[in-house]
Amino acid sequence: MSIMLLLSFGVLCSAVPENNTEDMLSLIGFKQAITYDPSGILKHWNSSTTFCRWEGIKCSRRHPGRIVELHLAGLKLSGQISSLVGNLTFLKKLNLSTNGLSGRLPPLNRLHRLQILDLGYNSLQDTIPDALANCSKLRKLFLSYNSFVGEIPPKLGLLSNLSDLRFNTNNLTGTIPSTFSNSSSIQVMSLSYNHLSGGIPDELGKLPSIRWLALGGNRLIGGFPQGLLNLSNSLRVLGLESNKLGNRLPLNIGDSLSNLQWLFLNRNMFQGKIPASLGNVSGMERLELENNNFTGEIPSSLGKLKSLYYLNLGGNGLEAKDAQSWEFFNVLINCSGLNILALDRNQLDGTIPGSIGNLSNSLEMLTLGGNKLSGIVPTSVANLQSLINLGFDYNNLSGKIVEWVGMLTKLQSLNLYQNKFSGPIPSSMGNLTQLTLLSLALNEFEGPIPSSLGIFNSSHC
């Protein structure tokens, strides 16, 4: 039967290494299950050459004729993954990512040598088989961007060699298995953007090597996991955004997680003050705390974060009422690489400090809308020559818009909506030829619309 099947696919028996028809049959079964092959690569899987030379196939040198790698990523293949792939018992790397494969992931429990399994960016469905736990040498397990459902198999915590686990952007439910604490080699764990619920297990704080932990975009509840504070030596990226986490942040979060570079806590229900200890995370580059319930003053200690390029504190209840509480703004000039600064939708009160013009030369986005700001816009804002997005909307700012606006020639978005600006619209706005959004409504401007506004590049209108 095997010989007849090989011949029916145009494969010469002499091209099949002795005692290894099984690997050949597995490849033929794989090809059979593919319904769409726009690049035509699988058409060349024929008797014109030995299967070890077929594109995407690599065979072992020590064990001639045994397949150790099947790599067909990014070819837009459609169809299902044949269960016969599970018979490639010498396989070390299986990469079928970025295709259009669908159906169930077949049992691969016989692949005891498998080290890398990458099936990301497909349309695979059903549950993740717990038989993957039998692939004891797995180091990288990528199933991201599929349609897997059901719970994450707790047995996967038995994979002691696992260093990179990515299940993000699926439809997984249930809780995060605490058994992952046994996978002491894990450096990257991404379970974000699923439908996971329950609390974050403190056991994840027992992963001594983890650098990247992404759990955002789920339905996780509870407070900030105390166990994670044990990851001071390893953790570089922590993503808990878009969940239902709440309560106060630990006051010592910045002292305990002193090696963080990116921290995403946005779109949760955290409350209380922003811990001043975050200013001790000297390597912090990106800090996102927007859309929570933080109150009180913005800690001036954030000005010590010299590597900071992205700071988003918008959508909270943060306050500034006097010179002392506005001090954070003055010290942010020490963040010389700051690219994004979002302070919109808070309770910032009073006039904008003149030190605004001393902020980073590389600042591209500055949003102060939705506060209680009053007075005039300092002319020093003209120093921010790299600005692309500037928002002062929904405040009580007044006075004339003077020539500073025409000096920000890289602006693509200027939002002055609903303030008390008065006087004429300056003709220098005609210098802003890159604008795609200009909002001046609900102010007290008067006089004619400057003819210079008509010189905007029509491709941006």
Side-chain angles (χ1 to χ4, degrees):
M1 180 65 72
S2 298
I3 294 176
M4 291 179 62
L5 184 58
L6 292 172
L7 292 174
S8 69
F9 277 84
V11 178
L12 296 176
C13 294
S14 58
V16 182
E18 187 177 357
N19 298 323
N20 188 27
T21 59
E22 188 172 43
D23 279 15
M24 172 63 76
L25 288 171
S26 296
L27 291 182
I28 293 174
F30 175 83
K31 180 179 178 179
Q32 262 188 322
I34 299 300
T35 57
Y36 182 60
D37 174 22
S39 62
I41 282 181
L42 298 184
K43 292 181 180 179
H44 301 291
W45 283 19
N46 55 48
S47 60
S48 62
T49 183
T50 175
F51 66 85
C52 286
R53 295 183 180 178
W54 290 352
E55 187 163 354
I57 302 300
K58 182 177 180 180
C59 288
S60 172
R61 294 181 179 181
R62 293 179 57 191
H63 305 277
R66 303 313 303 260
I67 298 171
V68 294
E69 183 174 323
L70 173 55
H71 192 294
L72 295 172
L75 299 177
K76 300 181 180 179
L77 300 174
S78 294
Q80 299 190 3
I81 301 175
S82 169
S83 60
L84 293 177
V85 172
N87 294 333
L88 298 173
T89 54
F90 277 72
L91 203 61
K92 293 183 178 180
K93 181 177 181 179
L94 176 58
N95 189 340
L96 304 175
S97 63
T98 320
N99 283 295
L101 301 172
S102 58
R104 300 186 64 179
L105 174 60
L108 302 175
N109 51 298
R110 296 182 61 201
L111 304 185
H112 301 300
R113 294 176 171 85
L114 193 64
Q115 298 178 18
I116 298 175
L117 175 61
D118 189 352
L119 303 176
Y121 294 89
N122 279 287
S123 299
L124 298 171
Q125 302 145 356
D126 215 302
T127 58
I128 298 174
D130 59 6
L132 287 176
N134 293 330
C135 304
S136 58
K137 292 188 177 181
L138 265 179
R139 293 187 292 106
K140 297 183 178 182
L141 177 54
F142 300 159
L143 301 179
S144 304
Y145 292 92
N146 278 285
S147 298
F148 287 109
V149 298
E151 299 186 355
I152 299 172
K155 286 186 178 180
L156 296 184
L158 300 174
L159 296 172
S160 59
N161 294 307
L162 199 61
S163 63
D164 200 335
L165 172 71
R166 306 190 190 193
F167 288 172
N168 55 287
T169 320
N170 280 283
N171 297 310
L172 299 171
T173 56
T175 59
I176 300 172
S178 59
T179 52
F180 278 130
S181 62
N182 299 320
S183 303
S184 58
S185 298
I186 285 187
Q187 298 180 25
V188 175
M189 178 187 289
S190 180
L191 307 178
S192 54
Y193 297 93
N194 281 284
H195 305 293
L196 301 175
S197 57
I200 299 173
D202 275 337
E203 286 84 354
L204 296 185
K206 299 178 181 178
L207 300 174
S209 303
I210 195 162
R211 297 182 292 105
W212 186 302
L213 178 60
L215 306 176
N218 283 291
R219 300 170 182 172
L220 302 173
I221 60 174
F224 187 91
Q226 292 291 323
L228 298 187
L229 299 179
N230 297 325
L231 303 176
S232 58
N233 294 326
S234 59
L235 198 60
R236 299 293 187 273
V237 175
L238 177 59
L240 303 180
E241 77 282 1
S242 300
N243 278 291
K244 298 180 180 180
L245 301 170
N247 301 324
R248 296 173 180 265
L249 292 181
L251 293 178
N252 62 339
I253 183 173
D255 299 319
S256 297
L257 299 177
S258 56
N259 288 309
L260 275 179
Q261 295 175 342
W262 290 5
L263 177 60
F264 303 96
L265 301 179
N266 45 308
R267 301 188 196 94
N268 278 287
M269 297 181 290
F270 291 114
Q271 55 189 265
K273 294 184 177 182
I274 296 174
S277 65
L278 286 174
N280 297 330
V281 188
S282 58
M284 183 76 78
E285 299 174 353
R286 186 163 182 164
L287 178 59
E288 297 200 29
L289 304 179
E290 75 271 16
N291 295 334
N292 279 283
N293 298 314
F294 290 115
T295 56
E297 299 178 4
I298 298 172
S300 59
S301 61
L302 298 183
K304 296 190 296 182
L305 303 178
K306 295 184 178 181
S307 299
L308 194 67
Y309 72 86
Y310 194 115
L311 177 61
N312 193 338
L313 305 179
N316 284 287
L318 300 168
E319 302 173 359
K321 299 179 179 179
D322 49 33
Q324 179 179 347
S325 54
W326 272 104
E327 180 61 22
F328 79 91
F329 206 78
N330 300 326
V331 297
L332 283 178
I333 64 176
N334 297 322
C335 305
S336 58
L338 196 61
N339 188 253
I340 304 291
L341 176 58
L343 302 172
D344 54 291
R345 296 169 293 125
N346 279 288
Q347 300 293 318
L348 305 181
D349 204 344
T351 58
I352 300 173
S355 58
I356 188 174
N358 296 328
L359 292 171
S360 167
N361 291 330
S362 60
L363 193 66
E364 295 183 354
M365 175 178 170
L366 174 61
T367 58
L368 287 166
N371 282 286
K372 300 179 180 180
L373 301 175
S374 57
I376 63 172
V377 176
T379 57
S380 62
V381 73
N383 297 337
L384 305 178
Q385 294 286 300
S386 297
L387 275 180
I388 294 175
N389 184 333
L390 178 60
F392 289 140
D393 50 301
Y394 290 101
N395 280 291
N396 294 308
L397 296 168
S398 59
K400 295 181 179 181
I401 301 296
V402 292
E403 297 306 309
W404 61 260
V405 69
M407 301 176 67
L408 302 176
T409 56
K410 293 183 180 180
L411 277 181
Q412 297 177 17
S413 174
L414 175 61
N415 194 347
L416 305 180
Y417 182 86
Q418 195 162 329
N419 279 280
K420 296 180 180 179
F421 292 116
S422 59
I425 298 174
S427 60
S428 62
M429 278 193 180
N431 299 337
L432 311 182
T433 58
Q434 302 300 311
L435 275 181
T436 58
L437 186 153
L438 173 62
S439 182
L440 305 177
L442 296 183
N443 279 283
E444 300 173 8
F445 292 114
E446 57 188 24
I449 298 175
S451 59
S452 60
L453 294 184
I455 69 171
F456 286 153
N457 189 330
S458 60
S459 66
H460 295 288
C461 296

